[in-house]
Amino acid sequence: MGTKKNRKKKSASLKAEIEEEMKRSGYDRTSRNARFVSIGFIKNLFKSTNPPKLQRSIQADLETLKREGLELQDQDVVVKKLVAHVTDDASKLYAVLLLVDQSQRIFQLYNNDHPITDRIFEKGENSCDVPYCSLQYLKAMPQMSDIANEIFEKQWCIPPILRREVHQKYPVERFRFPFQGAPEEIGRGGGGGVFKVKVAEGHLEAGDQNYVRGSVVAYKEVSKRTGMTEERLMREVNSIRSRKHPNIVPFFAGFSAGRENPWNITHKIECLHMLFEHTDAGNMHDWLALECAPEPLADMTERRRYITNCIESLISAVTFIHSEIDDFIAYHHDLKPKNILLFKGPPDVWKICDFGMANLKHHEDESGTTHGPDNRFGTYDYQPPEYFTDDSNSKHGRPFDVYSIGCVILELTTVLIHGWSKAGIPEFRRLRGENTEHACTNRPEKPKPDHSFHNSPNVVEDWIRHLREGTDIDEKLKILLDLITEMLVARARRIFIWEVDMDLYEMGGSRTQEHLKHHLRKVVQPSDTSLNDLNNEHNPLKRAVQKNKAWQKRILKQNKWSTRKPEPSNQLRIKRRETGIYHSTLKACQYTRDFECNTLFGRHDMDVKIAEGLKISNCVGLYGMSGMGKHTFWVEADTEARFQQTVRKIGEEIQLEVSEPENLFVSVNQWLSDSMNGPWIMVVDGLDNSAVAAALKRLLPRDSGQILITSKNRAILDSLDDFLPPRKRKQVCLQIENLAVSESRRVFQWHNDDVLPNNSEMEDLLSKFSSPVLIKLVAKYFLNNNIPTSELYKSIKDGKSLKFQERVYKDLSKKYLIFEPLITSMPQHSAPPTRFRSWPSAELRLLGELSCLNKDEIAIRLIQQNYRNETRLLEMMGLLENCSYIGKGRIDSARCYFMHETVQELVRQWVLSEMGLAALLNLHETALCMLITLYKDDKSNEADAKKIRRSSYFWKLRFMAHFDRFLDFAREFSTKLDQLDDLECSDRMVHSVITFSHVYLDEGRYEDAACVLEFTRELYKGTKYKPHLVRHLSKAYILPPLSGLHEEERSKAATMLAEVIFKCVGPSDNEQRWLCVLDLADIHCKSLRPEDASAALQSLREVSVGTNRGAPKLRRRGKKIFKETVESKLAIMKQIAEAKVYTARADCATTPAVKNKECSNAHTAYSHAKSAISSWLPGERIWVLEVDVQMAKVLCKMDNPDSTKKAIETFKKLFKRLQAEFHAPNRVWSQKRLWDIECQIACAQLQLGARWEGVAVQTLERVLGLYEMCYGKRDGQHDEHTRACAHHLHEAYLKVGNASKAQETKERYSLLPMTYTRMPEVIAESRWFRKWFCTIILLFVISILVLFYNFRYSLTETGEL
């Protein structure tokens, strides 16, 4: 009985702690309850392990249930399960049950068919469309129906989690705000008050908006006024949520509830609440009004740089606001200096805020927002003139913002030129206020004096002229002032904001035309309607022509900008016959439903191009892989039989009675040529056969009708000179581009009504299926197999391989003869079905080789490594380009090609099904040989030309995207090695794999390195590169930071090395024997077996590092067997290995004295090795760095603060040097070395005591985040680099006394104890190796002695001695 009472007390104490926290937290409000308990507190309370409060509380709950008749077989197991359930999934639920004294019900809720969790407090999980647990839901739940009212009321004591992605509505009278302290008002704007406040731990999930937990946020409250619609209230949230930009204030979360501080208890009004990033640095209005220049900006040069950057960033932000995102555009409608906030740096950043007057519109709705008495927007001084001069029904869109930001930019330019003197902003404002010639006079309530821009256009014009005439004005400032002028003119002539962005980008520095084109494509906004319908005198294309920017014309035309009105065709001047009879074979088409009334196949901009082409020629050709698919079937031309059948149907339709095919062609030609039968239009679909093309020439007349031809092969179109005029070939031969993602989404949902998630992962998937027929197959696959698209999204997010893709591609290959234009020979009858014994054409093999390379950048120089006949290669590439299998481009002025992922996968599937796995392996082998050949050439040529000496890592980086294709191949077939028994790979392929896998080792991608090396080792039957392959593979096993936990891998590596050492018996194998013994010794050291490592090193006696008067000296025993450079490297490597032996002895030492002695020996050995490298191999800078790292690690092991400080200084120097020389910023893995050094610095700082502990913990937390972001998870497990850093952080938390954080880190990253286990296999092999080696040495010595005594005896016998 005493125990039961004690357990009741424990449960009661848990509730008491929650209630006490509720009294302590929150703040006072007279008209509502502002007390609450945070989720962070609940989780920390339940995770507390000293004492285990949650466990004791649940034990008490189970005792209560047992007294009520519940029978439990294994109570300890049940307690553990319930503790885990509450901690992970039901902490809020259990806390609410505690508050209503019903905590024992957690057992029933857990044993439900679907365990009840905290998700009942979220929208979509409680069968009610509300973001909380509704009373209706609780009453319908058998386990809680009798306490439904109590649960419903108490749930508000723990406020909901506020999220960025969704907007939730909470009851006005019950919601409690999770704020730590009362909000402090800092301003008013956009219809509501703005405050600063801190959100309690665990109550704000801001997505990827860089919210720092516990930091101050800006909080805005907007009341829903009488008559205000929900759509109007939500404008600000909808606008800013869709617009994430570095110069737009980040939006953290939004929700609807009652007022945070209601006037009285009965004041129940719904408000919109929003949370943003906060700053104390002020706004641009106050910054412009300063009386003197801020400290760094007094200098004109610095001020110009600062303000120019500010202008460019603000224009970029407004361009982004105006851009089309998910079919919607936005506008701010209140741009002014007060709505631009400063966030202090370095560097300082200006961000646009207050979207209270913003709006979202569909991109096809080009009207804007109507202003009137009930819908006013903007600030008077910055409103454009049309706001006052147009009638009340007129609408205002993006030009409104262009004018407003133009005013702001003019003020910034004024400060740029005049600084903060009175001759600048104050003078400009005075002139506007004193102006009496007001342009807009129909506003009686205008302020006096009137400082607006719109009412003083003459003053603004004079001021811009005044700025242009300044003494320090250069050409760039004049361009800026011209842009401002174009932004402040009347709306009909006003420039678009993206044009301003483009001109500023072009003005910003020396950029190549390719960079300019790339930026224009990124910012340009298409013309949505014809110029015939636009009431707009400004035309970006005309402006580009006037400013001699010819390079912009093509991009603008692609975005539907035009300089002339469409005109009717003059090509066909044929009088249409008045008749009620219309002939068509459309009814005979197989897939009529696919194009009748179907607006969802995308590419509607192609209609315009076709219409333009038909004005030039009666015949237009469409070609390309993305046009693949049968949408129209007027004339089927894919085979001769179908073509003749279609012609016969045309003859039947026009009632021709002809039996012979040749006579039929003549008769149809005569009928089509008769002008009385025209005009007609014909679609020739799938013209990929040259024989059919020749027949088509005989069939069709040149006039009397219009012809549309589709083909995969442009060369077929080029042969139709009679129909497609050569001089106008570009205008009448149109390539069908890939579908845009938005169009792919519409095509998918046409065939599958399920809703696709709107996120980047889904967009990436849709971009892979770029043609309508492919999208259709994907949609049908999910529809036919009853698979919801939510499962598809989950698979993508979890990183699982999408097996359905292979089925889709196989179906596509069977249904459509994708590579028919390249197949010149068919399989023999004796061959297996659908199998080719050899490649049908050289072009198809070339395409297969290209599919084994990175699809985005296939350099012509790379392909030439396997094709020395350049003319023939260009012919084959031309054919592939004509068929749209590849495209042509340039990168850094070098010619290259690209291939869409769809084509890449289709080639792979075709090779596997028609040629077999051996052919696919052969293609990868060829690709790898290309890589190694070009790598060697580039490294040699560039190094010689530029006298460069740098890490081979950098030479290899440009090839790694190609090598990753082989990694994907190895991953796929590494589990199918039984299919590879009869396959082999060449020495060159192995050499390539070894060379480029070294990059994976350098970047810490050990699993990837092991994958390609293991795969290659299984295939390689040769001996030349066997030692190299084994050594690299063993490194992949032992280099991971937690390799000490993997006994199997270390044993495997040691076994492989021992086998290679045993086979290295010839003089030519000496170098490889040395390297393998050194690697084996390294494994012993990592296994903390220094004596075995030392014994292995004793067998390496040929060379070593000695000293002579402090200088390194190469010691050689016996005759010279290595080249000089090789001798030096081997001797140094042996010296380093001996230093590692000393380090391992230090790790095994039991007393500080022995440990320090061994560390000192190790440091001396490393010093000798470093000295030898510097003297003998001066170009090996990276090797010196690696030795420095090891020396610093040894210093950290010494129990001496001075040594630790010295180690930290060494690490910092190394960090700076690595940062400057040895990492590639664009390749995140390359920065692993920097993160490793930072971890070492933090661990060393922890040894120096409390002063450095906080800094060390912060460093480890930051670096852990970087590791986690870079390496991610694989099969649900964190990468070893991440877990190794987590180990350091765990130990740091324990050292600073933060046990809860240490436990949380241990659980999150699944940390195991860092222990090293013995390896019996390695020890046995090592001892066997020593015994074998000693026996050989003994026999050798005996043989020498025998020879010596025989020689001496012979001399004695002859009398010569």
Side-chain angles (χ1 to χ4, degrees), residues 839 842-854 858 863 866-867 873 876 899 904 907 911 922-928 930 965:
W839 286 95
E843 289 82 2
L844 189 53
R845 179 185 172 89
L846 173 59
L847 186 63
E849 291 165 356
L850 299 182
S851 71
C852 297
L853 300 171
N854 175 34
I858 307 173
I863 312 169
N866 197 47
Y867 292 87
L873 173 62
M876 292 192 292
M899 176 187 294
Q904 201 174 42
V907 175
V911 173
N922 185 258
L923 293 176
H924 278 284
E925 180 174 358
T926 303
L928 289 171
M930 291 181 192
R965 289 287 296 162

Side-chain angles (χ1 to χ4, degrees), residues 1113-1184:
K1113 180 182 178 181
L1114 180 67
R1115 292 179 177 173
R1116 186 184 300 116
R1117 290 192 178 184
K1119 65 178 182 178
K1120 183 177 180 180
I1121 62 173
F1122 301 117
K1123 294 181 181 178
E1124 187 173 346
T1125 305
V1126 175
E1127 275 187 333
S1128 302
K1129 288 184 177 180
L1130 293 178
I1132 294 170
M1133 293 170 72
K1134 180 183 176 183
Q1135 183 72 16
I1136 293 173
E1138 290 173 351
K1140 290 180 180 179
V1141 172
Y1142 290 129
T1143 306
R1145 286 172 178 166
D1147 292 333
C1148 297
T1150 56
T1151 62
V1154 175
K1155 179 180 179 181
N1156 286 338
K1157 178 184 177 182
E1158 296 297 341
C1159 285
S1160 178
N1161 292 337
H1163 191 271
T1164 302
Y1166 278 127
S1167 298
H1168 290 162
K1170 180 179 176 181
S1171 178
I1173 296 171
S1174 302
S1175 299
W1176 302 341
L1177 306 168
E1180 296 286 349
R1181 295 184 298 173
I1182 297 178
W1183 204 0
V1184 172

Side-chain angles (χ1 to χ4, degrees), residues 162-180:
L162 309 177
R163 294 184 171 91
R164 183 183 191 276
E165 292 77 14
V166 291
H167 184 88
Q168 308 287 26
K169 296 184 69 172
Y170 299 102
V172 170
E173 66 278 6
R174 287 188 171 86
F175 182 78
R176 301 190 189 184
F177 293 80
F179 295 159
Q180 294 179 346

Side-chain angles (χ1 to χ4, degrees), residues 485-498:
T485 301
E486 293 183 272
M487 296 168 76
L488 300 182
V489 296
R491 175 168 57 180
R493 295 183 291 112
R494 193 172 301 153
I495 195 173
F496 292 95
I497 196 66
W498 58 266

Side-chain angles (χ1 to χ4, degrees), residues 82-131:
L82 285 175
V83 168
H85 173 64
V86 170
T87 304
D88 296 336
D89 301 315
S91 53
K92 178 174 179 177
L93 176 62
Y94 189 68
V96 173
L97 291 172
L98 283 169
L99 291 174
V100 297
D101 295 323
Q102 294 293 326
S103 57
Q104 72 277 6
R105 299 199 185 205
I106 193 66
F107 179 78
Q108 297 171 276
L109 298 175
Y110 174 69
N111 284 309
N112 196 38
D113 290 340
H114 299 285
I116 307 300
T117 68
D118 285 346
R119 292 191 173 184
I120 65 171
F121 302 109
E122 298 179 6
K123 187 173 183 177
E125 297 292 338
N126 50 30
S127 75
C128 298
D129 194 27
V130 291

